[in-house]
Amino acid sequence: MRKLLVALIATAIISMPALAAPKAKAVTAPTPPPYTGVYQPRGVDEIGLWREDDEMERALASSPLVIRDEALNAYVRNVLCKTVGSDRCDKVRLYILRVPMFNATMSPNGTMRVFSGLLLRTKSEAELGAVLGHEFGHFEKRHALEQFKKARSGTDLLSWTAVLASMSGTRQSSESFDDIRLSVYGGLARFGRNQEREADLLGLGYLNDGQLSPQAASRVWRNLILEVEASSAARGLSKPNFNGVSFFASHPPDGERVNYLYALAAPDGGGRDEGTDRHQAALKPWVTTFLDDQVSLNDFGATEFLINSVAESGWTADLWRARGDLFRTRGNPRDLMNAADFYTKSVGLNPELAEAHRGRGLSLIKTGRIVEGRAALERYLQLQPTASDASMIAVTVASLGEKQ
């Protein structure tokens, strides 16, 4: 009888309509804590760091690398304020540096440096804000001070260990010192990776809580991975492993970053403003200059990737000219033919673009098309008679002999 009762109860339970499970709340990066205002250095270590930063800022303020375009500076500051809030960004002293690298930094004293290479590589306000928010997260968490103290503790330990090992003079003590040294360096790298993750999450938290799309944070690192892969492929190197954790790496693997930044972005943020059009408008006066700086790095694969990335919104005369410069710089015979074609496209869009005529002429001459090359160089001299290389180009034209 008891077995029958149990069977009936089980059948009844199975036959009951399933109750709807409570909907799980999406896990996202935490909301940033309330801003407590500009802090002042505390203790000898931090006061010392601030003094060093103040000295560096004085030198930075007069550096020829600083871009002093008021419109561009105002735009980048506005993106920072949109990301972290006006209360946090108002006291930041921001410097844009003409350095063709993907980077931005922030010092303990409130100095933020934004490299032109970062501006070139971001396609929207949201992507730029993701990086600026990350750097502000380092500042707000006082990571520089923590890293300084950690490094000093580690080097102090190594100094005393080295003294004791030298006093002992045995092989075992030497091996123990090597083990401790590896442990200290690995611990410092791990500490740096943890700080980077903390800054990642705080920067993403700013975006989750703000106006811009937080999904852009993951996209920034995905695009950087694609650029590095393009650079490696052009050099004939094997595809980099972006998910391998190195014992001495100070940053989390890029593949790991892409995944957790995507997973922890607020799901409703995908429909928010990206600020793509505003970003392109603000950078338009500088894109050609930034691309020229990138071409000078002699990294064919990365530069080709970046030019094509910028051209996704449409090819311009300046972009075709920059691509021509890139191929002409590498200088293989097929590169020169491609370069001449790219320059031709450039002057087709803007017949007054002197640099495109110059590049086209030099490329055509090297491929044996002397008449066309001479005509292109002569057009360059007509457009830029006072150019710094006008005399050299004139000599080149004269050396080609009479027109045929």
Side-chain angles (χ1 to χ4, degrees):
M1 182 68 181
R2 184 173 179 178
K3 290 182 179 180
L4 178 61
L5 181 61
V6 171
L8 290 173
I9 293 173
T11 302
I13 292 174
I14 294 172
S15 302
M16 289 175 63
L19 297 175
K23 189 175 181 180
K25 185 178 180 180
V27 178
T28 61
T31 300
Y35 187 54
T36 58
V38 178
Y39 69 84
Q40 294 299 314
R42 298 191 299 264
V44 175
D45 291 333
E46 197 165 19
I47 291 173
L49 281 177
W50 276 52
R51 286 177 178 171
E52 289 182 5
D53 282 340
D54 288 343
E55 288 298 323
M56 287 190 289
E57 187 178 0
R58 289 188 187 97
L60 180 64
S62 59
S63 170
L65 294 177
V66 174
I67 296 175
R68 306 182 193 279
D69 183 332
E70 291 186 13
L72 184 63
N73 277 269
Y75 169 72
V76 175
R77 176 173 291 280
N78 183 53
V79 173
L80 174 64
C81 291
K82 281 184 180 180
T83 303
V84 303
S86 58
D87 54 346
R88 282 178 161 90
C89 86
D90 280 347
K91 304 302 181 182
V92 173
R93 297 178 305 287
L94 188 144
Y95 298 87
I96 302 175
L97 303 179
R98 188 176 166 182
V99 179
M101 294 173 57
F102 177 93
N103 201 13
T105 65
M106 190 158 182
S107 300
N109 71 343
T111 304
M112 177 174 279
R113 301 165 177 83
V114 179
F115 290 10
S116 58
L118 171 63
L119 299 180
L120 180 63
R121 285 165 172 79
T122 50
K123 298 180 181 179
S124 67
E125 291 184 351
E127 291 187 7
L128 177 58
V131 180
L132 300 184
H134 169 94
E135 294 305 324
F136 193 92
H138 279 308
F139 168 73
E140 190 160 3
K141 289 294 185 180
R142 302 188 180 190
H143 283 163
L145 176 64
E146 293 178 4
Q147 189 73 25
F148 172 78
K149 290 182 176 179
K150 186 78 173 179
R152 186 180 60 185
S153 297
T155 53
D156 286 349
L157 173 61
L158 288 178
S159 296
W160 282 109
T161 305
V163 171
L164 295 175
S166 63
M167 292 174 62
S168 172
T170 64
R171 179 178 178 180
Q172 183 178 2
S173 63
S174 178
E175 291 175 350
S176 297
F177 173 70
D178 289 340
D179 291 341
I180 293 173
R181 181 170 54 184
L182 288 174
S183 178
V184 167
Y185 290 155
L188 288 173
R190 183 173 63 252
F191 186 72
R193 291 195 297 271
N194 290 338
Q195 285 186 328
E196 289 294 321
R197 292 188 183 96
E198 187 176 24
D200 277 342
L201 295 181
L202 189 54
L204 186 60
Y206 295 139
L207 288 175
N208 282 343
D209 199 44
Q211 311 170 35
L212 300 171
S213 172
Q215 280 69 23
S218 173
R219 193 164 59 245
V220 167
W221 292 104
R222 184 196 65 193
N223 290 337
L224 189 60
I225 287 175
L226 294 175
E227 179 187 333
V228 173
E229 288 179 343
S231 177
S232 297
R235 298 172 189 270
L237 303 176
S238 59
K239 185 176 179 179
N241 178 13
F242 293 101
N243 290 304
V245 178
S246 172
F247 182 68
F248 292 112
S250 60
H251 288 61
D254 289 344
E256 174 190 318
R257 265 181 157 162
V258 169
N259 292 332
Y260 69 64
L261 287 173
Y262 180 81
L264 298 176
D268 62 350
R272 292 185 202 163
D273 184 23
E274 287 274 351
T276 303
D277 292 341
R278 293 189 298 273
H279 190 71
Q280 291 178 354
L283 293 184
K284 185 176 180 180
W286 285 94
V287 166
T288 301
T289 300
F290 294 164
L291 281 174
D292 288 345
D293 292 342
Q294 176 65 35
V295 169
S296 69
L297 295 180
N298 197 29
D299 187 342
F300 184 91
T303 306
E304 170 79 340
F305 173 85
L306 287 172
I307 291 174
N308 282 287
S309 178
V310 175
E312 287 178 1
S313 58
W315 283 92
T316 65
D318 285 324
L319 286 174
W320 282 121
R321 194 271 307 163
R323 197 177 186 198
D325 287 348
L326 174 66
F327 277 71
R328 184 170 63 84
T329 299
R330 191 166 67 171
N332 294 325
R334 64 179 182 278
D335 290 331
L336 294 171
M337 295 177 63
N338 286 327
D341 180 52
F342 299 150
Y343 288 127
T344 300
K345 288 182 169 65
S346 177
V347 298
L349 293 173
N350 182 5
E352 304 301 309
L353 188 57
E355 292 80 5
H357 286 286
R358 177 186 183 277
R360 181 170 180 268
L362 295 174
S363 300
L364 289 171
I365 290 169
K366 288 187 177 181
T367 57
R369 296 161 66 180
I370 305 299
V371 175
E372 295 174 84
R374 180 194 296 111
L377 292 182
E378 289 174 342
R379 180 58 179 153
Y380 169 69
L381 292 174
Q382 291 172 2
L383 292 170
Q384 292 283 358
T386 60
S388 60
D389 64 346
S391 298
M392 182 191 72
I393 296 297
V395 170
T396 300
V397 172
S399 70
L400 298 175
E402 298 295 329
K403 293 184 179 180
Q404 300 177 5

